[in-house]
Every structure is written in C-alpha cells, then in structure tokens.
Amino acid sequence: MEPSRTGKAEDGKSNVRAVERALDILLCFTTESDLPMTEIAERVGLHKSTVHRMLATLEDKGFLERDRSSERYRLGMRIWELSAHRSRSGDPAVICLPEMERLRDTLGETVSLYVRDGSERIRIQAVQSNQAIRRVAPVGVRLPLYVGASSKVLIAFAEPGLAAQMMASEALPQGFDPQSFREQLEEIRRLGYATSMEEREPGAAALSAPVFDRSGRLAAALSVSGPAARFTPSIIREQSALVVQSATRMGAMLPG
C-alpha cells in the first residue's frame, strides 16, 4: 500500500522542522563560543532529550564539538570548512579591512563595520585599538537598531520606510521617544555621520558614517568607538571628516 498524500505532507513538515531545530541550535553560537546542553535547550525552547539527540547528530557530522570534561559544546571544524569556501570577492568585511586598519592607526580607537539584518545590526569586521584602555568589539555580535551611532546611520540612509517600520516595532524599550529619534535622523542625514555618547554602553562613545557602494546603495556603517573619557564630543567632531572620508574610500572599492 502506498502512503497517503497526507502522510507524505506530514513527513515533509517533520523533516523541515528538524532542519529548523538544528539551525536554531547552531544559531545559539552567534553570541557565545561554547554552551552547555541545558542552556541550549532553554534558548531553543525544546526538551532536553530532543536537544541531546540533535546535538549528538551535529557532533557526529562535525558541525559541533563537545568538551567531554565540561560537557560544553562549541562550533566544529565543518563550520570553518564551509566558511572557507564562501565567496569573498565582494565581501565588505574583507575589502574594507585595510582601510579600517589605516583608520585605526590614524585615530587610535577601535574601528568596526556593521550591516543591517532585519531589526538588528551585525558587526561583520573589527580592528581593535592598540591602547591599554579600549573598546573591545567582537565580530558577529548582534545589536538593536534603535540605539547607537551605527544603528542610526543604518536607518537614516536606508530605503524609505525603514525608520517608520522600526519605530512601529513592539520591541522598542519603554521610554523610547520616536519624535526625538526622527529629529536625530534628519540631523544625521544633514551632517553625513552619527554620534553616540553612552547610549548603549556606559562609558563608551562612537562616531559612525555610511558606506555606499558604487551604485549608491547603503552597504554598511563604519564606526569608530572608544572610552567616553578619551573619545570626547569635541574630538569626535574633529575626527568626523576623517571617518567620512574613510567610508567614502571603502565605498569606492565595493561593487555596485
């Protein structure tokens, strides 16, 4: 007897759901380098026994590795093998790195590159300051779009409608002022750069400029950040032209 069409559809949905769960587990490692099984289960909202089976499969295929002494999981070599074969020909994180290093050497502060992904921004490249007291910017971190210099750049120079969509989100924190934010966006478009002083993190300041590719499309946000005690508003204003110029040079290297 042939299986019913309903049975085939249910099997297909089950297979897709299994793939989604496996990917959800792997995505847990976008913010952490290693995690115990219990925390992974909490993050993906699945029973421990289900997560245990999926972790065993991912480990068997090489996508995860398990530290048997601590029973914590981390990304396996298969992930890095896949990454090595990813095309880098138009990758801003690779193309812009030399200019980011030059800017870091000129200004002495940490330089980062961000792109927007939905309602978040992702740091895709970073060059750390060489100073003893500095902002440490790990690559791959996701941050909200409603706060920070780079976030404001990614909204101010994005396609029309993104700002309104973002400000209608239920994820905005209590006390968020849409009118003040709109005024900031207008000022950023006029100046060509954005600043933030201890908006997202106490004691930190940042300056950000848009990176447009050769077709004029917003490709990324270039950011320079440092301790607020050293990276003061007056210094930020003095250095804004250098950051804008670096962002322009980066854009000229990116394909349209």
Side-chain angles (χ1 to χ4, degrees):
M1 179 184 296
E2 292 184 1
S4 67
R5 290 187 179 181
T6 302
K8 286 183 178 179
E10 288 175 351
D11 289 345
K13 289 181 180 178
S14 177
N15 291 337
V16 170
R17 183 62 184 137
V19 173
E20 289 177 345
R21 288 174 170 177
L23 292 174
D24 285 341
I25 288 174
L26 291 176
L27 289 172
C28 289
F29 296 90
T30 58
T31 56
E32 303 289 343
S33 59
D34 57 49
L35 290 165
M37 185 194 71
T38 52
E39 187 170 340
I40 294 172
E42 290 176 5
R43 292 189 178 209
V44 298
L46 295 173
H47 195 276
K48 290 181 183 178
S49 60
T50 302
V51 172
H52 183 269
R53 290 194 300 271
M54 303 199 78
L55 287 172
T57 300
L58 290 168
E59 182 183 2
D60 183 59
K61 294 294 185 180
F63 289 96
L64 289 178
E65 294 177 355
R66 176 165 55 103
D67 185 328
R68 298 185 185 278
S69 62
S70 64
E71 289 300 315
R72 295 176 72 89
Y73 291 83
R74 58 179 178 266
L75 293 177
M77 290 303 299
R78 286 291 183 189
I79 296 292
W80 309 119
E81 289 174 17
L82 289 173
S83 176
H85 292 286
R86 179 177 178 268
S87 174
R88 300 280 180 169
S89 59
D91 190 345
V94 175
I95 295 172
C96 296
L97 182 57
E99 179 64 25
M100 292 175 68
E101 292 174 337
R102 188 200 65 79
L103 186 62
R104 185 273 314 276
D105 294 342
T106 300
L107 302 184
E109 302 293 355
T110 296
V111 179
S112 301
L113 195 67
Y114 293 91
V115 297
R116 181 174 68 87
D117 182 25
S119 60
E120 297 176 310
R121 58 180 161 120
I122 305 174
R123 185 183 291 122
I124 62 170
Q125 186 61 279
V127 180
Q128 310 295 343
S129 167
N130 292 324
Q131 303 202 49
I133 300 176
R134 59 187 176 183
R135 292 247 16 261
V136 177
V139 173
V141 168
R142 287 177 173 267
L143 299 167
L145 268 185
Y146 57 78
V147 65
S150 296
S151 290
K152 290 182 283 190
V153 162
L154 291 171
I155 295 174
F157 297 98
E159 64 274 10
L162 176 62
Q165 177 184 339
M166 191 278 296
M167 284 185 275
S169 171
E170 297 180 354
L172 293 174
Q174 196 170 22
F176 180 83
D177 186 347
Q179 181 57 36
S180 173
F181 195 77
R182 291 189 191 94
E183 292 172 358
Q184 288 184 61
L185 295 180
E186 291 176 4
E187 180 72 358
I188 290 164
R189 295 186 191 103
R190 185 182 69 80
L191 294 173
Y193 64 88
T195 64
S196 64
M197 295 296 295
E198 301 187 284
E199 287 185 11
R200 189 183 63 81
E201 182 182 339
L207 164 65
S208 181
V211 178
F212 298 101
D213 64 23
R214 279 179 281 182
S215 69
R217 181 184 64 87
L218 179 66
L222 172 66
S223 173
V224 178
S225 58
R230 186 173 68 225
F231 204 39
T232 63
S234 61
I235 290 177
I236 286 176
R237 285 193 296 272
E238 291 172 5
Q239 297 181 346
S240 61
L242 293 175
V243 176
V244 171
Q245 290 167 11
S246 276
T248 300
R249 284 193 290 270
M250 289 179 185
M253 295 185 286
L254 299 178

